[in-house]
Amino acid sequence: GALIGEYYQGEFENDYTSAGGNQFRRQTEWQEATGRAEIGLNHPRFNLYGGGTYLYYQEDTDRKQLNNLPASVSALTFRDELESKNNFGAYGGVSFFITPKFLINLEGRAIDMTAISGSLEYRF
């Protein structure tokens, strides 16, 4: 079994020119927290595992226009707020060992996204 957690936060500022030739200054602050719990079973011929995930993400961005404004307007500021919607997820999978170095892995995800994936792995 395993429990994993991470937290990140940051901010950045940059100037850019839009496709229309307007100059902007962008200031962004963001934070992200993730958590994951997993449990598995190891067997010489296969591995079986499953778990759950949690994601929290929030981003606030202010874009201030720097040029091409009428004389009566000092500055235009646009504010964007981005936040994660589907915070919880679940996954599970199985790995089959064809030989001790070659395996096939199948995994599925649900709740936050629906996905099925597979891979072939050879260990050198």
Side-chain angles (χ1 to χ4, degrees), residues 12-88:
F12 65 89
E13 180 178 310
N14 69 328
D15 293 345
Y16 69 96
T17 303
S18 70
N22 296 317
Q23 294 179 337
F24 287 88
R25 174 165 291 137
R26 176 174 44 202
Q27 295 175 305
T28 300
E29 295 179 2
W30 60 272
Q31 58 183 346
E32 174 182 331
T34 61
R36 183 174 175 154
E38 182 174 301
I39 191 164
L41 171 68
N42 290 331
H43 186 272
R45 297 291 294 160
F46 66 90
N47 294 332
L48 183 65
Y49 62 92
T53 60
Y54 172 78
L55 167 69
Y56 169 80
Y57 183 82
Q58 183 172 343
E59 179 181 300
D60 297 320
T61 302
D62 291 331
R63 291 186 320 267
K64 186 180 214 178
Q65 189 169 344
L66 301 176
N67 69 342
N68 296 337
L69 294 171
S72 61
V73 177
S74 60
L76 289 177
T77 301
F78 304 94
R79 181 161 184 82
D80 296 322
E81 295 178 2
L82 180 64
E83 191 173 311
S84 57
K85 284 188 173 186
N86 296 329
N87 295 355
F88 294 96

Side-chain angles (χ1 to χ4, degrees), residues 88-105:
F88 294 96
Y91 63 94
V94 62
S95 299
F96 297 102
F97 289 89
I98 307 301
T99 70
K101 293 186 173 190
F102 181 66
L103 63 99
I104 297 172
N105 187 60

